[in-house]
Amino acid sequence: MDEQRTKTRKTLLSLLIAVAILAVVVFLLFLGPAFVSTTMPNDSYMIEITGLSGLAVNGTATVMIPVPANAEGELVIFEVSGVRQTAGWQAAIRETPYGKMLAFTTTEGYVPDISVSSGEFEKKEEPRLLVPVLATHGNTSVEEFSRRSGGTYTTVVFLDGFVPQENTTPISFDLRYQGGGGIKHLIKENVWTTTMNATVPSTESGFVPVPAGYHVTPGGIYL
């Protein structure tokens, strides 16, 4: 009886070893490359400003919008690669009383709409917002707000240099920033998304507060 038990134990042990070896082989063949592979976090900023087309310019027209930055106000995308230009406009980062903003300027008689997108890979994984941040819900700090799962806040746009029209033309701002999402050792990092969808009358001049939305998509195991 003892000899039979010993044989059974040896058989079970051999079976367990074989299963373990098979599991290691499967991991090395299928999951191993994914486990050691790394995907860099990606930043993208899509800008659509419509309602500008056909507006007359009084000398120089300027449109300024928020830019992606971390809680300390450090810009991403444009500080590294520069601002991508768009037809009919000159684009650059400009200092304002509220902080840095992305400015589009033109001296053309009439202006086109603005459509431009920028994107790049980077090494950092950190919460990002479209700044300036004029106010957050509950008056929390920008750092505390950006580490929440989401919410709404107030940012700002700027208009100047357009000839007033009898029929007010609405200017629509559709902005979307998305950052993060890097993958390392099968772990996907958070994805931070900030959007701004607002309409401003073309008769406005100067800084105009507008709402923005912020959302965090949690990361996790990526298979």
Side-chain angles (χ1 to χ4, degrees), residues 137-182:
H137 183 70
N139 294 322
T140 60
S141 68
V142 175
E143 182 176 3
E144 180 182 352
F145 177 81
S146 65
R147 296 188 181 280
R148 295 181 175 182
S149 61
T152 58
Y153 66 99
T154 303
T155 184
V156 67
V157 296
F158 177 89
L159 296 171
D160 186 54
F162 297 106
V163 177
Q165 295 181 325
E166 292 183 3
N167 297 322
T168 303
T169 302
I171 299 176
S172 297
F173 295 83
D174 295 306
L175 315 177
R176 178 183 174 86
Y177 165 75
Q178 191 168 79

Side-chain angles (χ1 to χ4, degrees), residues 97-158:
Y98 298 104
K100 292 181 179 180
M101 297 182 70
L102 175 55
F104 296 93
T105 60
T106 185
T107 56
E108 300 290 336
Y110 291 89
V111 299
D113 289 338
I114 296 173
S115 178
V116 61
S117 61
S118 300
E120 63 185 32
F121 292 105
E122 63 157 309
K123 296 181 180 180
K124 292 184 179 180
E125 296 269 7
E126 59 185 356
R128 306 284 174 76
L129 295 169
L130 288 175
V131 301
V133 177
L134 272 61
T136 62
H137 183 70
N139 294 322
T140 60
S141 68
V142 175
E143 182 176 3
E144 180 182 352
F145 177 81
S146 65
R147 296 188 181 280
R148 295 181 175 182
S149 61
T152 58
Y153 66 99
T154 303
T155 184
V156 67
V157 296
F158 177 89

Side-chain angles (χ1 to χ4, degrees), residues 35-36 40 42 54 58 71 74 88 136 154 156 172 180 189-190 200:
F35 184 79
V36 299
M40 301 296 288
N42 180 66
N58 183 16
E74 299 171 338
T136 62
T154 303
V156 67
S172 297
E189 300 292 339
N190 293 344
V200 177

Side-chain angles (χ1 to χ4, degrees), residues 10-89:
K10 288 183 178 180
T11 301
L12 291 175
L13 181 60
S14 298
L15 181 60
L16 289 174
I17 293 174
V19 171
I21 293 174
L22 180 61
V24 171
V25 171
V26 170
F27 176 82
L28 292 176
L29 288 177
F30 297 100
L31 296 181
F35 184 79
V36 299
S37 66
T38 298
T39 300
M40 301 296 288
N42 180 66
D43 290 308
S44 64
Y45 190 21
M46 292 175 287
I47 303 165
E48 293 283 345
I49 306 175
T50 57
L52 296 170
S53 181
L55 292 180
V57 174
N58 183 16
T60 300
T62 302
V63 177
M64 292 196 290
I65 60 173
V67 287
N70 63 16
E72 287 72 40
E74 299 171 338
L75 299 191
V76 296
I77 300 180
F78 304 125
E79 291 289 85
V80 178
S81 61
V83 181
R84 181 179 173 183
Q85 301 300 314
T86 185
W89 296 87

